[in-house]
Amino acid sequence: MSNTSLPDQPLDAIIVGAGLSGMYQLHTLRDQLGLRVKVLEAADGVGGTWYHNRYPGARCDSESHSYMFYFSQELVQSWEWSERYPQQPEILRYMNHVADFLQLRPDLVFNTRVVAAEFDEPHNLWRITTASGQVWQAKYLITAVGCLSSANVPAIKGLDSFQGQWVHTSAWPHEGVDMRGKRVGVVGTGSTGIQAIPVIAEQAAHLTVFQRTANYSIPARNAPLSEDFKRHVKENAEEIRALMQETPNAHCFRIEPRSALEVTDEERQAIYQAAWDKGGLQFRATFNDLLRDKEANDTAARFIKHKIQQVVHDPQIAALLSDIDHPFAAKRPPIDSHYFETFNRDNVQLVDIRSHPIECIDADGIQTTQAHYPLDTIVFATGFDAMTGSLLRMNISGRGGLALKDAWHAGPRTYLGLQVPGFPNMFTITGPGSPSVLCNLPPQIEQHVNWITDCIAYLQTHGIRQMEADTAASDDWVQQVNEAAHATLLPQVRHSWYLGANVPGKPRVFMPYAGGFARYRGICDDVAAQGYRGFHLIA
């Protein structure tokens, strides 16, 4: 049971969100620093994005042994994954295991949605208001709301008139959606759609896939883990943790120190084929210049497009699926389980809505500029208002009543992705300006939480009342984020959600730090070692 009674005195810290970030932050502040802390969570259980994303085929695209905490040897030894890429139910079981192992539940407050957070300058407190009208108070506000948790439902004319059932993948009903014998339409072919479409195709009588943007995808080659590998993870946990901290994307593999242009065509083909056969995100680690050099990237793009054309039997469908308009891995690179093979099924139809956009939804289905598609169920796999959406919908206001939405009207501005000028004593975990969605998240969460914990310990020890990011330091960091992005091919994709391009009216700003996790970690450590350079500390 959650402890829902309000404390008599202000808390030391309020954490918003009970995903991996919120749970680990609670553990460090409560159990290492001895602070009075509560986690406020809108759902009725832990899990964050893995609580809500229960759509068919939902699974992690980081290998299971990298998608876990390594800060505690005892915690590592207490858990075993069953397969290379775990499904949502297993990930949620792991997160509940973490909550129980660390005895976090007494300080988790569920069914509590934050609707406003206001900094009270005279009292140096954050006042957090919930949907039920409760007001919590704490010196520190820490947002652990996740990068991909604010659903982006497209504003399509006539959606309210649809007589069937429609769902967004990130708000999948816990009782499931019965698609047997149904005509189902899936809108969206990003990483979520690529996971869901093969499973839905097996359940539905007929599936219509509405594709605006064709996408690369690498086969996952998922399989159960061997007993030898499970033993290897437990025996080599420290080495695995160290490797993830040293790599640009916080994964358990290194990028090969070679250029795609320095090998022969035959050697390159053999390297790509071996990576394709192995499967998974390690394909993009075959060469070190795939995201820096367009000519090098083209070699990977041609290989994958050729594979799509080999897998898909119908030449016209294969052409649509391989008509990809961006460099490989410049958008989030999905991995799949028989995605392209699904389009060989008799009950699956592909509709190109780039050439023939959706005009409206009516009572019976979807109307494009070319045809009407009768449907019983519509599934929106249209992603998220990424990185900023979950923060902005909390209605946060800082010093002088400055609203976060106004501070970020031209795009998010942070210092190190950890603090926002004008918002004292507020920390963000894996927010904009940090490596965030460009990385495997658990190692980055550990780094962020450890940095925040060490910082708060420093503030408490030195009697610091307020800590706030300096505006000039923030401006400089935004420039560094831009420079890191433009050293890669990532900003070339104008319709990428990394830039917020999937949300109408959202400023087009490249949000995550693309300079690599290891470099970012070093920068954060250096800032702390210099007495938190770039922050105002007020005693």
Side-chain angles (χ1 to χ4, degrees):
M1 293 292 291
S2 301
N3 181 358
T4 56
S5 60
L6 288 166
D8 294 331
Q9 298 296 321
L11 296 167
D12 294 305
I14 288 285
I15 301 164
V16 184
L20 288 173
S21 300
M23 289 196 292
Y24 183 39
Q25 187 71 82
L26 169 61
H27 168 63
T28 61
L29 295 182
R30 186 193 69 179
D31 301 331
Q32 294 177 13
L33 301 189
L35 300 183
R36 299 171 68 241
V37 188
K38 294 290 183 185
V39 175
L40 308 184
E41 168 57 54
D44 65 5
V46 302
T49 191
W50 295 109
Y51 177 92
H52 297 287
N53 283 264
R54 299 167 183 247
Y55 59 85
R59 69 171 70 240
C60 192
D61 55 12
S62 295
E63 294 189 65
S64 56
H65 69 293
S66 71
Y67 202 81
M68 61 190 295
F69 284 134
Y70 278 85
F71 65 83
S72 161
Q73 275 293 327
E74 293 78 11
L75 182 55
V76 172
Q77 301 302 318
S78 70
W79 182 261
E80 283 187 353
W81 295 104
S82 68
E83 53 186 343
R84 184 182 181 190
Y85 294 103
Q87 296 185 65
Q88 178 270 339
E90 187 172 17
I91 300 171
L92 193 57
R93 285 197 298 273
Y94 171 70
M95 297 177 83
N96 276 281
H97 172 71
V98 170
D100 293 332
F101 186 91
L102 300 175
Q103 299 179 352
L104 301 177
R105 295 192 189 276
D107 295 302
L108 301 173
V109 185
F110 298 123
N111 300 305
T112 304
R113 180 174 296 280
V114 172
V115 296
E118 178 184 6
F119 183 64
D120 179 343
E121 292 186 62
H123 297 94
N124 195 42
L125 288 172
W126 281 96
R127 300 189 191 279
I128 295 95
T129 305
T130 71
S132 67
Q134 288 183 320
V135 178
W136 296 76
Q137 300 181 98
K139 179 179 180 181
Y140 302 108
L141 170 62
I142 302 168
T143 65
V145 291
C147 316
L148 302 173
S149 55
S150 182
N152 176 40
V153 179
I156 300 175
K157 178 184 174 183
L159 178 58
D160 290 344
S161 69
F162 183 57
Q163 294 299 299
Q165 180 181 16
W166 71 265
V167 291
H168 190 279
T169 49
S170 71
W172 203 262
H174 288 198
E175 67 275 12
V177 178
D178 186 0
M179 290 178 282
R180 293 171 298 178
K182 302 286 182 63
R183 298 165 299 178
V184 180
V186 173
V187 180
T189 54
S191 55
T192 296
I194 283 172
Q195 287 186 339
I197 284 165
V199 182
I200 292 174
E202 293 176 352
Q203 300 173 1
H206 188 272
L207 172 62
T208 305
V209 176
F210 296 88
Q211 173 187 277
R212 183 186 63 181
T213 305
N215 223 329
Y216 301 98
S217 188
I218 308 297
R221 312 292 185 202
N222 190 43
L225 296 178
S226 69
E227 293 304 316
D228 284 345
F229 186 80
K230 293 176 184 178
R231 187 164 51 250
H232 164 80
V233 170
K234 291 187 175 183
E235 292 175 354
N236 296 278
E238 285 300 327
E239 291 81 357
I240 292 169
R241 186 187 193 196
L243 175 59
M244 291 190 293
Q245 291 178 338
E246 295 167 5
T247 55
N249 300 106
H251 283 291
C252 291
F253 52 79
R254 299 187 189 278
I255 297 174
E256 294 295 335
R258 62 190 173 203
S259 166
L261 305 177
E262 69 183 16
V263 298
T264 67
D265 291 348
E266 292 76 14
E267 288 172 325
R268 187 189 312 110
Q269 186 75 9
I271 290 168
Y272 282 144
Q273 186 62 53
W276 184 266
D277 292 340
K278 182 176 182 179
L281 292 176
Q282 199 164 344
F283 184 95
R284 64 181 179 179
T286 48
F287 299 102
N288 65 6
D289 53 354
L290 294 185
L291 265 182
R292 296 199 316 268
D293 187 298
K294 181 64 164 57
E295 186 180 354
N297 191 284
D298 286 344
T299 66
R302 283 194 297 269
F303 178 89
I304 299 169
K305 290 176 182 180
H306 181 65
K307 286 294 184 185
I308 297 170
Q309 292 158 3
Q310 283 184 319
V311 168
V312 180
H313 300 159
D314 186 312
Q316 289 183 306
I317 296 174
L320 283 175
L321 290 167
S322 59
D323 184 20
I324 306 171
D325 65 356
H326 56 275
F328 166 64
K331 295 178 69 176
R332 183 177 180 176
I335 60 174
D336 71 90
S337 296
H338 313 298
Y339 173 66
F340 296 112
E341 292 87 342
T342 298
F343 293 92
N344 295 328
R345 295 177 63 102
D346 292 337
N347 70 326
V348 175
Q349 177 181 13
L350 181 65
V351 175
D352 174 20
I353 58 172
R354 169 164 289 175
S355 300
H356 305 286
I358 293 174
E359 281 191 334
C360 66
I361 295 173
D362 59 25
D364 303 316
I366 291 179
Q367 175 71 51
T368 72
T369 56
Q370 185 182 46
H372 183 269
Y373 299 89
L375 300 168
D376 303 304
T377 306
I378 300 174
V379 175
F380 290 107
T382 46
F384 303 89
D385 183 354
M387 301 190 68
T388 59
S390 298
L391 289 163
L392 294 177
R393 71 180 180 185
M394 284 197 292
N395 297 308
I396 301 172
S397 56
R399 189 186 302 280
L402 174 66
L404 185 62
K405 64 180 177 61
D406 293 331
W408 285 1
H409 72 278
R413 306 183 72 79
T414 72
Y415 182 39
L416 305 177
L418 287 163
Q419 269 204 350
V420 181
F423 295 80
N425 294 347
M426 183 181 88
F427 297 89
T428 58
I429 302 177
T430 66
S434 74
S436 191
V437 291
L438 298 180
C439 285
N440 177 34
L441 278 166
Q444 186 184 179
I445 287 168
E446 287 193 22
Q447 181 268 336
H448 260 59
V449 167
N450 290 340
W451 192 96
I452 292 169
T453 303
D454 290 344
C455 177
I456 289 177
Y458 178 92
L459 301 180
Q460 296 289 101
T461 300
H462 291 82
I464 305 297
R465 294 178 63 252
Q466 285 184 15
M467 179 181 190
E468 181 182 342
D470 176 69
T471 300
S474 176
D475 290 344
D476 180 68
W477 182 246
V478 170
Q479 181 63 28
Q480 290 188 53
V481 170
N482 287 330
E483 289 172 358
H486 285 283
T488 73
L489 303 176
L490 292 166
Q492 293 190 12
V493 188
R494 298 309 304 167
H495 48 79
S496 168
W497 57 258
Y498 292 157
L499 294 132
N502 62 320
V503 179
K506 188 169 181 175
R508 300 293 187 266
V509 176
F510 194 84
M511 293 182 283
Y513 175 71
F517 175 59
R519 181 183 298 175
Y520 172 82
R521 192 165 56 87
I523 293 169
C524 291
D525 290 347
D526 184 58
V527 165
Q530 295 186 45
Y532 297 96
R533 171 177 49 84
F535 293 94
H536 294 296
L537 305 182
I538 303 171

